[in-house]
Amino acid sequence: MVKLFVTLETLAFVTAKRIREEKGATAVEYGLMVGLIAAVIITTVMLLGNQLLNVFTSITERLAPAAG
């Protein structure tokens, strides 16, 4: 009976340790994903920023006579 208890206790400790390790790994993975997404957004804005500015400027100029 004592051997069964020790086995269950060991299993509980190992499981708890794995859960803590997986949480740490998950946090690192999410951090890497957020960094990658931020890099993609920054790159996209840098590459398309002037084109988007031109499009919105053109739209604003076309709408100005209608508003005034």
Side-chain angles (χ1 to χ4, degrees), residues 16-51:
K17 184 179 177 185
R18 281 188 183 170
I19 289 172
R20 276 183 260 137
E21 288 175 0
E22 288 178 9
K23 284 183 182 178
T26 302
V28 170
E29 290 168 355
Y30 281 129
L32 290 172
M33 287 177 21
V34 167
L36 180 62
I37 290 169
V40 168
I41 290 172
I42 291 169
T43 303
T44 303
V45 168
M46 289 177 72
L47 291 174
L48 300 178
N50 288 334
Q51 293 175 354

Side-chain angles (χ1 to χ4, degrees), residues 52-62:
L52 289 173
L53 179 63
N54 292 338
V55 168
F56 285 119
T57 302
S58 173
I59 292 171
T60 303
E61 289 172 353
R62 291 181 187 174

